[in-house]
């Protein structure tokens, strides 16, 4: 009697191996053809690079990444480290409504260029790169989060721009982390003038009571730990106003995650 065998026969295994090799060859050929038609370029300066969605070495060196130590509340860089979480003087004098904020880079140079390219030029090629850095910056926030909520645009600005840059980044962070994305939980209930060039006090007044949780969304937020996503944290006025609305709807906690941050907002006119 012939011995029983488990699994595919040797010819079948050879066939499977051939199919796998063919699939790998086709994928490599498609990637090669795609790179010939659309060669990989630096997402900032458009110089040639070895793969899509990255910075060239020159632009990478011009990025000012935010590393520890940082203020545990504001996420701003600190000159020295202490044992345990450190809260800056600015956060002690004027504590934010939200719990903690984190950002990947200082809003200057190449980081500013990437934000403006997305925000004003509808260039999305750097979204994956920015979101990956945001995931790294938010490693203290994201593992315990229940929902990711983007800072919304007003209807007028959304119609003009056709997309919300915060939502684009938030959706990608959600995909990378598996944290659920609540795209329409928060809305901007009144149009506000652009924040560019405004003082800290003007920014606070500009966005005061500008946000609300959408009808029916409170049940989704009640008791949940939220991460609010924006492209840039400047004075924190937008984040504070948004967090206030989320807390009023019953959120258990609200942290903030952005791609870039302005360390000295009183000296900046960043958008």
């Amino acid at each position: 009697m012939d011995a029983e065998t488990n699994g595919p026969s040797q010819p079948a295994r050879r066939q499977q191996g051939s199919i796998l090799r063919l699939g790998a060859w086709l994928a490599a050929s498609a990637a090669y053809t795609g790179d010939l038609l659309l060669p990989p370029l630096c997402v900032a300066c458009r110089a040639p690079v070895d793969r899509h969605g990255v910075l060239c070495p020159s632009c990478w060196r011009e990025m000012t990444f935010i590393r520890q130590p940082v203020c545990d509340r504001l996420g701003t860089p600190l000159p020295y480290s202490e044992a345990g979480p450190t809260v800056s003087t600015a956060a002690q004098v004027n504590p934010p409504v939200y719990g903690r904020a984190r950002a990947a880079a200082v809003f200057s140079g190449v980081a500013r260029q990437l934000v403006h390219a997305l925000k004003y030029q509808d260039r999305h090629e750097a979204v994956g790169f920015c979101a990956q850095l945001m995931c790294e910056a938010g490693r203290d926030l994201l593992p315990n989060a229940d929902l990711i909520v983007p800072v919304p645009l007003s209807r007028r600005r959304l119609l003009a721009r056709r997309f919300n840059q915060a939502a684009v980044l938030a959706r990608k962070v959600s995909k990378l982390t598996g944290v659920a994305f609540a795209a329409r939980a928060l809305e901007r209930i009144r149009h506000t003038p652009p924040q560019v060039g405004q003082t800290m006090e003007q920014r606070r007044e500009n966005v005061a009571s500008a946000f609300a949780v959408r009808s029916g969304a409170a049940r989704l937020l009640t008791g949940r730990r939220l991460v609010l996503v924006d492209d840039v944290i400047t004075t924190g006025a937008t984040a504070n106003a948004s967090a206030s609305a989320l807390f009023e709807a019953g959120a258990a906690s609200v942290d903030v995650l952005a791609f870039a941050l302005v360390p000295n907002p009183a000296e900046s006119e960043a958008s």
Side-chain angles (χ1 to χ4, degrees):
M1 179 180 292
D2 293 337
E4 293 185 0
T5 59
N6 294 320
S9 63
Q10 187 173 357
R13 288 196 297 270
R14 285 198 296 268
Q15 184 178 22
Q16 289 176 352
S18 298
I19 293 173
L20 291 173
R21 287 192 295 274
L22 177 61
W25 181 83
L26 289 173
S29 297
Y32 176 75
T33 303
D35 286 348
L36 287 177
L37 297 174
L38 293 171
L41 302 174
C42 171
V43 294
C45 73
R46 317 300 290 165
V49 290
D50 61 352
R51 63 187 188 277
H52 292 279
V54 298
L55 292 175
C56 68
S58 177
C59 288
W60 180 269
R61 287 192 295 270
E62 292 185 24
M63 290 279 291
T64 303
F65 296 104
I66 297 176
R67 309 295 190 199
Q68 293 290 345
V70 299
C71 169
D72 193 52
R73 297 297 307 279
L74 301 178
T76 49
L78 295 176
Y80 59 88
S81 177
E82 295 182 355
T86 303
V87 178
S88 64
T89 302
Q92 295 178 44
V93 172
N94 188 23
V97 175
Y98 52 83
R100 297 170 294 172
R102 296 291 185 269
V106 170
F107 185 68
S108 64
V110 171
R112 182 195 295 264
Q113 182 181 341
L114 293 176
V115 169
H116 284 182
L118 171 62
K119 197 169 184 176
Y120 303 123
Q121 300 171 27
D122 199 4
R123 284 178 49 189
H124 293 231
E125 60 266 31
V127 167
F129 171 79
C130 295
Q132 184 64 57
L133 292 178
M134 290 169 69
C135 290
E136 295 174 11
R139 58 188 176 274
D140 295 337
L141 314 180
L142 293 165
N144 296 319
D146 298 311
L147 290 171
I148 292 174
V149 179
V151 171
L153 294 178
S154 66
R155 292 183 180 179
R156 184 189 306 180
R157 191 158 293 135
L158 184 59
L159 286 173
R161 194 172 292 168
R162 299 182 293 108
F163 69 96
N164 175 5
Q165 72 279 355
V168 171
L169 291 169
R171 182 178 290 106
K172 188 64 175 179
V173 170
S174 172
K175 288 183 178 179
L176 290 172
T177 61
V179 180
F181 176 46
R184 294 171 56 82
L186 192 64
E187 65 178 336
R188 196 180 290 243
I189 55 178
R190 64 179 177 84
H191 180 73
T192 55
Q195 303 266 68
V196 180
Q198 294 188 356
T199 65
M200 294 179 68
E201 184 59 34
Q202 287 172 333
R203 286 171 182 259
R204 282 193 287 267
E205 294 176 356
N206 189 35
V207 296
S209 302
F211 301 94
V213 170
R214 289 181 181 273
S215 177
R219 59 182 176 79
L220 179 68
L221 305 178
T222 300
R224 311 300 290 277
R225 297 163 297 185
L226 311 180
V227 171
L228 181 71
V229 169
D230 207 354
D231 55 344
V232 182
I233 301 171
T234 307
T235 64
T238 297
N240 278 329
S242 299
S244 293
L246 294 169
F247 278 126
E248 288 176 10
S253 66
V254 180
D255 293 321
V256 182
L257 179 62
F259 170 63
L261 177 146
V262 179
N264 301 301
E267 303 174 4
S268 173
E269 294 184 355
S271 58

